[in-house]
Amino acid sequence: MLPTPSILLIDDDTDDQEMFTSALAFIDSSIVCSIATNGVEALRQLKNADTLPDMIFLDLNMPLMNGAQFLKEAKATNRLRDVPIIIYSTASDIRTIEEAKQLGAHQFISKPEKFSELVGLLHGLLYPATK
């Protein structure tokens, strides 16, 4: 049996949060998903957490501290450096993707429009051996 992953979603869009958490619940209802609405809130949650998430999904366009700023900060923090951060954004231009990867993003995925596509995408990321 595969271990149940824990996820942190950093995204200020409530519709995207709901679709993401619904997709995770569809895959496996025991997946733990915490949500932060911006980079400042996420850093505060991570600083106070007893255990770190297995993966962080990070939107780029958010208030207070955007995704690129959070990514820079996280990769400069010893405790967070090795947590895979996956950019989860509506942006899909080559320049933005390359910039995110240079800042240390583990992967870059564009937000799918269809629920079924999101389920397939998340399942493949969370359980790669069972694709």
Side-chain angles (χ1 to χ4, degrees):
M1 181 110 190
L2 295 169
T4 304
S6 64
I7 308 294
L8 172 61
L9 172 64
I10 308 171
D11 194 330
D12 65 319
D13 187 303
T14 55
D15 290 336
D16 287 343
Q17 291 171 8
E18 186 175 317
M19 188 164 139
F20 189 92
T21 55
S22 295
L24 289 177
F26 184 84
I27 294 166
D28 181 347
S29 61
S30 65
I31 294 173
V32 175
C33 181
S34 301
I35 296 174
T37 58
N38 60 62
V40 172
E41 181 182 333
L43 287 173
R44 186 172 36 249
Q45 280 184 24
L46 292 164
K47 181 181 177 186
N48 295 323
D50 292 331
T51 58
L52 294 174
D54 295 308
M55 272 182 215
I56 295 172
F57 286 81
L58 175 65
D59 188 22
L60 291 176
N61 300 312
M62 296 177 293
L64 299 179
M65 176 186 275
N66 67 34
Q69 292 166 324
F70 172 86
L71 188 55
K72 253 185 232 176
E73 187 74 27
K75 292 302 173 181
T77 304
N78 285 338
R79 183 166 192 248
L80 303 176
R81 182 173 294 138
D82 297 327
V83 177
I85 299 175
I86 299 162
I87 302 302
Y88 177 66
S89 179
T90 54
S92 60
D93 61 281
I94 297 297
R95 186 169 156 255
T96 301
I97 294 169
E98 287 304 315
E99 181 182 318
K101 288 185 177 181
Q102 287 175 356
L103 290 173
H106 181 73
Q107 199 167 346
F108 191 107
I109 57 174
S110 294
K111 291 181 180 179
E113 292 181 27
K114 294 182 180 176
F115 181 78
S116 60
E117 291 173 359
L118 180 58
V119 167
L121 190 87
L122 291 174
H123 190 276
L125 288 167
L126 298 173
Y127 304 108
T130 62
K131 275 188 191 175

